[in-house]
Amino acid sequence: IPFVITEFSSNYIQGDNGKDIAGRMHDLPDEAAFLVSLIHQKSTASAQVLSYWTFSDVFAEPGFPSHNISFHGTFGLTNIFGVPKPSYRALEMLHTGGEQRLPVYGASTIDLQSDTCHCLPLLNSTHLNLFLHNYAMPGAPIEACNADIRLSGLGFPHKSASGAILRRIDEDHTNPRGYWIKEMGMFSGYPTIQQKKQLKKASEISTSPVSGDVTGPTTLEFKRVSVPTQAVAVLSVPLFS
């Protein structure tokens, strides 16, 4: 009998009351960290389908939104104006990350120095994508971590050392709600065309180049890759020159 989970999310509460993080978590980078953590665990679980609840903040079950606040803690991957949230970007990266999951052992090692920080290694046709995620349930202990990564055995060319990129979702990156609060004064009402462009720009995946050290013919090392609390950092290393 197929095991299908047709509705899931980090919690069943919606609506930001300014007090309980559960009510606003759907808009936060925390939700992205939750999703990557869940998919990491799901790799060895029995569910054949996971269907996220829900795609947009505009859905009919509780009645259509009666307010025009850009971020108010509703379940969607996008807000009522179509701005992608951190959760959307996490699934976007997982979608392109690759279907082959690699073990981390032997010559390749990832030292995360944390009980809450983990790594999901995915391989596609051009890159090894290391999904570093640091997540804990609200109220549970968590601290930032630094990952020391040693990769070997996949035939990395020397060019891979300078061709790697780091993509981030955290409080300061790929966080349109944070931008809305810090840079736009939490305005209410319909956004202007320019404001919507700014929010969508703030939602784009933050990407920066990162250099590794060549320590052998096919071995690369990346030192102290930081992963803040409730965050995702994806290190993508090219396989071919």
Side-chain angles (χ1 to χ4, degrees), residues 35-118:
L35 282 169
V36 176
S37 175
L38 179 74
I39 297 302
H40 191 172
Q41 298 173 56
K42 193 296 180 174
S43 298
T44 55
S46 57
Q48 295 171 273
V49 175
L50 291 172
S51 178
Y52 187 80
W53 181 260
T54 180
F55 187 83
S56 169
D57 280 354
V58 180
F59 58 98
E61 187 176 72
F64 289 111
S66 59
H67 44 67
N68 298 317
I69 302 174
S70 291
F71 296 98
H72 51 275
T74 306
F75 296 115
L77 295 171
T78 64
N79 77 355
I80 60 175
F81 304 115
V83 176
K85 300 180 187 180
S87 52
Y88 180 104
R89 298 305 187 188
L91 292 178
E92 180 181 22
M93 288 194 291
L94 285 167
H95 177 68
T96 60
E99 296 183 1
Q100 183 178 355
R101 179 184 178 184
L102 299 181
V104 180
Y105 61 85
S108 292
T109 59
I110 300 177
D111 183 6
L112 297 168
Q113 306 169 5
S114 168
D115 293 332
T116 57
C117 198
H118 303 279

Side-chain angles (χ1 to χ4, degrees), residues 187-209:
F187 72 86
S188 60
Y190 288 99
T192 65
I193 293 176
Q194 182 61 29
Q195 286 173 325
K196 183 181 283 190
K197 286 181 178 179
Q198 289 175 316
L199 285 173
K200 287 193 172 182
K201 181 69 176 178
S203 83
E204 293 177 358
I205 298 171
S206 175
T207 303
S208 60

Side-chain angles (χ1 to χ4, degrees), residues 6-237:
T6 58
E7 295 181 11
F8 84 94
S9 187
S10 58
N11 63 71
Y12 64 90
I13 301 170
Q14 72 167 342
D16 185 356
N17 60 16
K19 300 177 181 179
D20 186 357
I21 190 174
R24 61 179 179 272
M25 184 168 167
H26 311 291
D27 295 341
L28 300 177
D30 306 47
E31 191 81 1
F34 160 77
L35 282 169
V36 176
S37 175
L38 179 74
I39 297 302
H40 191 172
Q41 298 173 56
K42 193 296 180 174
S43 298
T44 55
S46 57
Q48 295 171 273
V49 175
L50 291 172
S51 178
Y52 187 80
W53 181 260
T54 180
F55 187 83
S56 169
D57 280 354
V58 180
F59 58 98
E61 187 176 72
F64 289 111
S66 59
H67 44 67
N68 298 317
I69 302 174
S70 291
F71 296 98
H72 51 275
T74 306
F75 296 115
L77 295 171
T78 64
N79 77 355
I80 60 175
F81 304 115
V83 176
K85 300 180 187 180
S87 52
Y88 180 104
R89 298 305 187 188
L91 292 178
E92 180 181 22
M93 288 194 291
L94 285 167
H95 177 68
T96 60
E99 296 183 1
Q100 183 178 355
R101 179 184 178 184
L102 299 181
V104 180
Y105 61 85
S108 292
T109 59
I110 300 177
D111 183 6
L112 297 168
Q113 306 169 5
S114 168
D115 293 332
T116 57
C117 198
H118 303 279
C119 178
L120 172 62
L122 297 178
L123 185 69
N124 62 26
S125 60
T126 60
H127 287 77
L128 171 65
N129 298 293
L130 302 177
F131 283 77
L132 304 167
H133 53 95
N134 192 5
Y135 173 75
M137 293 287 290
I142 186 173
E143 59 184 18
C145 71
N146 292 294
D148 290 331
I149 301 168
R150 183 177 188 270
L151 303 174
S152 184
L154 287 175
F156 293 108
H158 288 351
K159 185 178 179 181
S160 297
S162 59
I165 61 171
L166 189 64
R167 293 171 288 172
R168 292 188 176 278
I169 301 176
D170 55 43
E171 181 66 26
D172 299 318
H173 304 89
T174 319
N175 183 11
R177 180 183 182 273
Y179 183 87
W180 174 67
I181 292 173
K182 297 175 183 178
E183 304 296 333
M184 306 181 82
M186 297 177 65
F187 72 86
S188 60
Y190 288 99
T192 65
I193 293 176
Q194 182 61 29
Q195 286 173 325
K196 183 181 283 190
K197 286 181 178 179
Q198 289 175 316
L199 285 173
K200 287 193 172 182
K201 181 69 176 178
S203 83
E204 293 177 358
I205 298 171
S206 175
T207 303
S208 60
V210 60
S211 295
D213 297 320
V214 178
T215 57
T218 60
T219 302
L220 292 177
E221 293 188 9
F222 297 87
K223 296 292 187 180
R224 298 188 64 79
V225 179
S226 64
V227 188
T229 59
Q230 309 292 18
V232 178
V234 182
L235 177 64
S236 297
V237 184

